[in-house]
Amino acid sequence: MKVDGNWFNERTVVKPIPELLENIEEREVLRKIKKQKIYLLALLLPFIMFVIGFEIGPLVAMIKNSFYADNGIQVTIDQYITIFKSEFYLQAIQNSLVISLFSAVTSVIIAVIAAYSITKFSQKIQNRLLMIANMTSNFEGIPLSFSFIILLGNNGLFTLLFSKIGGDVFADFNLYSWTGLILVYIYFQIPLAIMLIYPSYQGIKKQWKEASSLLGGSTLSFWLHIGIPVLLPSIVGTFSILFANSMGAYATAYALVGSNYNLLSLQIASLVASDVALKPQLGSAMGVLLAATMIGAMWFNERMMRRIRRDLR
């Protein structure tokens, strides 16, 4: 076939002009997307540097330091052997696990009931109650401990008030005991649990209750077969967060009981910032075990979420 004096093979493929234009437009779009990604990475650079400098860096240093002897020169695993051979340090781990489990379970149960109660109010009152819960969830640490000391200590306001009016309710209560410590832990965990569980109630539709009632289901059967399964992912996730929050709590326990009770966070602080005996390598090893416990709680949460939620399977 002859075209304008040039011979072409019939199998010759000539690319249409529209297709060429489409390729040019596609390359232009890809170039713009790449430019946007570079711009976004530049904006995220300060945050990335912050994470590396204040989170990843200290974590790597802690793991590295945990494998050194007390002299800081020899590489060894003696620090971990010391922890697992010492009944004192094992008791610290056990005490932290017990108080974290108990406070997390109790707080979740109370928060489930409290969050459901909040949903029964008008939207205006709900917003105010959530605002109070949000403020209360940030009230922890040393200020919280001193508040409890002022109110429920040996010479606290309520302690003296009830003793004066003849109803000595707090006669057998000791704020500086194991019971008092658990009470304070539960107090600062409940508002956080309410904030985390409350949004899940918005996923329970009113039509579901009506359909269950029309089919002859009772209120109890609705919550057992529909309501609680819907809330379960949120409950499991909240429990995991509360457990990790309790394990890492330091200021509240230190301000309330000092070193009178053997907790993992208090032992770590005493080993790295003590005026008597500094053992930062041993403290780093205990810090690694604390981090491993929290990672284990997160792993358990993920496994449970995959079992409960169908969209993650």
Side-chain angles (χ1 to χ4, degrees), residues 211-249:
S212 175
S213 179
L214 289 173
L215 293 173
S218 62
T219 304
L220 180 61
S221 64
F222 168 79
W223 284 106
L224 288 176
H225 298 97
I226 301 173
I228 293 179
V230 171
L231 296 174
L232 202 54
S234 177
I235 292 173
V236 173
T238 301
F239 170 80
S240 177
I241 293 172
L242 296 184
F243 177 81
N245 193 33
S246 296
M247 284 292 295

Side-chain angles (χ1 to χ4, degrees), residues 116-173:
Y116 176 72
S117 302
I118 291 175
T119 60
K120 294 301 180 181
F121 292 98
S122 64
Q123 190 61 46
K124 186 177 181 181
I125 297 178
Q126 287 185 40
N127 293 336
R128 291 181 178 178
L129 291 174
L130 290 175
M131 182 182 66
I132 294 172
N134 187 24
M135 290 189 298
T136 312
S137 65
N138 295 310
F139 185 60
E140 57 182 12
I142 294 177
L144 176 63
S145 297
F146 279 124
S147 298
F148 268 87
I149 291 171
I150 292 170
L151 295 176
L152 298 175
N154 294 335
N155 294 312
L157 174 64
F158 290 139
T159 305
L160 296 177
L161 177 63
F162 281 103
S163 63
K164 290 291 183 182
I165 63 178
D168 205 356
V169 180
F170 301 103
D172 299 325
F173 176 74

Side-chain angles (χ1 to χ4, degrees), residues 115 118-119 123 126 130 193-202:
I118 291 175
T119 60
Q123 190 61 46
Q126 287 185 40
L130 290 175
I194 291 174
M195 295 294 296
L196 294 173
I197 292 175
Y198 170 79
S200 300
Y201 280 99
Q202 308 304 316

Side-chain angles (χ1 to χ4, degrees), residues 92-111:
I93 297 173
Q94 180 183 351
N95 289 343
S96 294
L97 289 173
V98 169
I99 194 172
S100 299
L101 284 171
F102 186 82
S103 63
V105 170
T106 307
S107 301
V108 165
I109 293 172
I110 296 173

Side-chain angles (χ1 to χ4, degrees), residues 12 23 39-40 47 64 69 146 156 164 172 227 252 264 270 305 308:
T12 303
N23 289 339
Y39 180 69
L40 291 174
F47 176 73
K64 180 182 176 183
F146 279 124
K164 290 291 183 182
D172 299 325
T252 303
L264 185 57
S270 67
M305 293 286 278
I308 294 168

